[in-house]
Amino acid sequence: MSRPPISVVMPVRNEERHLQAAVERVLQQHYDGELELVLSIAPSEDATHEVADRLAASDRRITVVDNPSGHTPAGLNVAIAHARHDILVRVDGHGELSDGYLDTVIDLLERTGAANVGGLMDARGTTPLERAIAAAYNSRIGLGGGSFHLATTPEGPAETVFLGAFRRAPLEAVGGFDETLHRAQDWELNYRLRKAGHLVWFSPDLRVVYRPRSSLVALAQQFWRTGQWRRELMGRHVDTARLRYLVPPVAVTGLGLGIVGGVLGLFLRSRGLTWLLLAPAAYLMFLGAATVAMRGLDPAARLRLPVVLAVMHVAWGAGFLRGVAGER
């Protein structure tokens, strides 16, 4: 029997390197039902739009629409508005669906009655730096243990999931993605779905390969922005606060006070202030222990892991402390 029609929506910005692989993994699903792919293209600094247009010209299932705002939630809403079907599957321009992903989506939606189902973000890199970043993504040490980063998370109801596959009716009933949230929009949308009485369901059977940032600068920018918008989300919805979100800003504050106070103590020959250097020393020890404990890393990636973890923690914490005031 033919399966229900599916619209895959993909917000894309600066994805010249990964877009073709992401699109191919959608079109190679062998899904026994009508399938369309809507690419919502933001203004990019590379040849992303040209790649998208070339892919659309080669396959009639692909539609290209513009996202002039450049922000992900607006791009998703634009793509959803152009999508023709009632099952909406989100994929990112640097994500690659596992085999049978779309069939599993339909099975889970039918079995659970959920408004949104999603699964694991399986981060994988190619260069040593990317492999170190991917290992940090897939670990509690790097991202604090979000459920969809951990392969050990059991199937069941969840606060949020990676990407998501939605039924159109409940998604539109809660107003779609909040375009004023430039990050954390997935978490916030799932929060509203759950508040409206809908079920959000996690399954490790839904796996998407995620391609991480390829430089420390890009990683720092990503985590700075993520920290900023997590604080904004917690300000809007206080009941979304979690202890693991507060650890990075507390750590950054402690590191800053420890370094400044400790160095000042050395100059002033103040033993009391010098003791503050124990805070950064303890953090360095933590990075060393975490690097040794991380499993499955090759030597080149392991050598880069302490810096990767430090960039993640410090950028996220500093972004949280800074917030988004004046940047909306």
Side-chain angles (χ1 to χ4, degrees), residues 40-86:
S40 180
I41 310 299
S44 300
E45 288 77 48
D46 61 12
T48 293
H49 213 303
E50 289 81 353
V51 173
D53 289 339
R54 174 173 55 79
L55 291 168
S58 69
D59 196 303
R60 61 181 178 80
R61 293 172 292 179
I62 302 174
T63 301
V64 175
V65 297
D66 287 324
N67 169 26
S69 79
H71 299 305
T72 298
L76 284 164
N77 285 339
V78 167
I80 290 167
H82 282 81
R84 296 182 290 114
H85 304 312
D86 290 332

Side-chain angles (χ1 to χ4, degrees), residues 182-201:
H182 298 172
R183 294 289 175 95
Q185 65 273 350
D186 293 339
W187 212 108
E188 194 273 344
L189 173 60
N190 286 314
Y191 172 85
R192 283 185 283 123
L193 284 171
R194 290 186 288 106
K195 286 292 184 180
H198 298 293
L199 179 64
V200 176
W201 190 266

Side-chain angles (χ1 to χ4, degrees), residues 1-290:
M1 294 180 61
S2 179
R3 311 217 75 182
I6 287 179
S7 295
V8 176
V9 294
M10 185 183 294
V12 185
R13 181 174 182 267
N14 291 333
E15 294 291 357
E16 176 186 5
R17 179 183 174 192
H18 299 298
L19 180 58
Q20 180 166 336
V23 168
E24 287 177 349
R25 290 303 298 160
V26 173
L27 301 181
Q28 293 170 354
Q29 285 288 298
H30 303 295
Y31 181 70
D32 187 20
E34 187 175 351
L35 174 66
E36 69 168 349
L37 171 58
V38 183
L39 305 179
S40 180
I41 310 299
S44 300
E45 288 77 48
D46 61 12
T48 293
H49 213 303
E50 289 81 353
V51 173
D53 289 339
R54 174 173 55 79
L55 291 168
S58 69
D59 196 303
R60 61 181 178 80
R61 293 172 292 179
I62 302 174
T63 301
V64 175
V65 297
D66 287 324
N67 169 26
S69 79
H71 299 305
T72 298
L76 284 164
N77 285 339
V78 167
I80 290 167
H82 282 81
R84 296 182 290 114
H85 304 312
D86 290 332
I87 303 298
L88 303 161
V89 178
R90 177 185 172 179
V91 182
D92 282 347
H94 47 263
E96 299 171 21
L97 300 184
S98 56
D99 292 339
Y101 187 94
L102 297 182
D103 279 313
T104 304
V105 160
I106 297 302
D107 292 342
L108 287 169
L109 287 172
E110 292 178 349
R111 173 165 62 85
T112 66
N116 182 20
V117 298
L120 282 172
M121 185 181 85
D122 183 11
R124 299 185 193 178
T126 54
T127 68
L129 178 62
E130 291 171 357
R131 292 196 296 273
I133 294 172
Y137 263 114
N138 295 334
S139 166
R140 294 185 186 277
I141 299 170
L143 287 178
S147 61
F148 60 75
H149 298 288
L150 305 174
T152 56
T153 302
E155 179 175 319
E159 289 185 328
T160 192
V161 293
F162 183 51
L163 300 178
F166 304 86
R167 300 181 190 273
R168 182 185 290 272
L171 177 64
E172 292 183 343
V174 299
F177 289 89
D178 186 342
E179 297 185 14
T180 68
L181 278 172
H182 298 172
R183 294 289 175 95
Q185 65 273 350
D186 293 339
W187 212 108
E188 194 273 344
L189 173 60
N190 286 314
Y191 172 85
R192 283 185 283 123
L193 284 171
R194 290 186 288 106
K195 286 292 184 180
H198 298 293
L199 179 64
V200 176
W201 190 266
F202 170 85
S203 173
D205 294 335
L206 291 174
R207 184 181 295 265
V208 181
V209 171
Y210 172 87
R211 299 301 180 183
R213 299 301 191 268
S214 57
S215 73
L216 290 175
V217 172
L219 181 69
Q221 292 172 340
Q222 177 190 17
F223 273 71
W224 168 272
R225 297 287 286 166
T226 302
Q228 285 183 298
W229 288 96
R230 175 55 62 179
R231 174 175 171 176
E232 176 70 12
L233 178 58
M234 288 171 57
R236 297 186 189 188
H237 306 294
V238 177
D239 57 334
T240 68
R242 302 290 182 270
L243 179 61
R244 63 189 176 92
Y245 300 142
L246 302 177
V247 171
V250 170
V252 167
T253 301
L255 285 171
L257 292 175
I259 293 171
V260 173
V263 171
L264 185 61
L266 291 175
F267 277 105
L268 298 177
R269 297 183 179 180
S270 169
R271 181 173 298 179
L273 287 175
T274 303
W275 277 106
L276 293 175
L277 288 173
L278 287 175
Y283 182 65
L284 289 175
M285 293 176 63
F286 163 76
L287 291 178

Side-chain angles (χ1 to χ4, degrees), residues 268-320:
L268 298 177
R269 297 183 179 180
S270 169
R271 181 173 298 179
L273 287 175
T274 303
W275 277 106
L276 293 175
L277 288 173
L278 287 175
Y283 182 65
L284 289 175
M285 293 176 63
F286 163 76
L287 291 178
T291 299
V292 171
M294 190 71 72
R295 297 179 178 179
L297 268 185
D298 59 276
R302 192 177 299 277
L303 183 65
R304 292 159 173 79
L305 183 60
V307 177
V308 165
L309 290 172
V311 168
M312 284 182 168
H313 298 157
V314 173
W316 202 105
F320 185 97

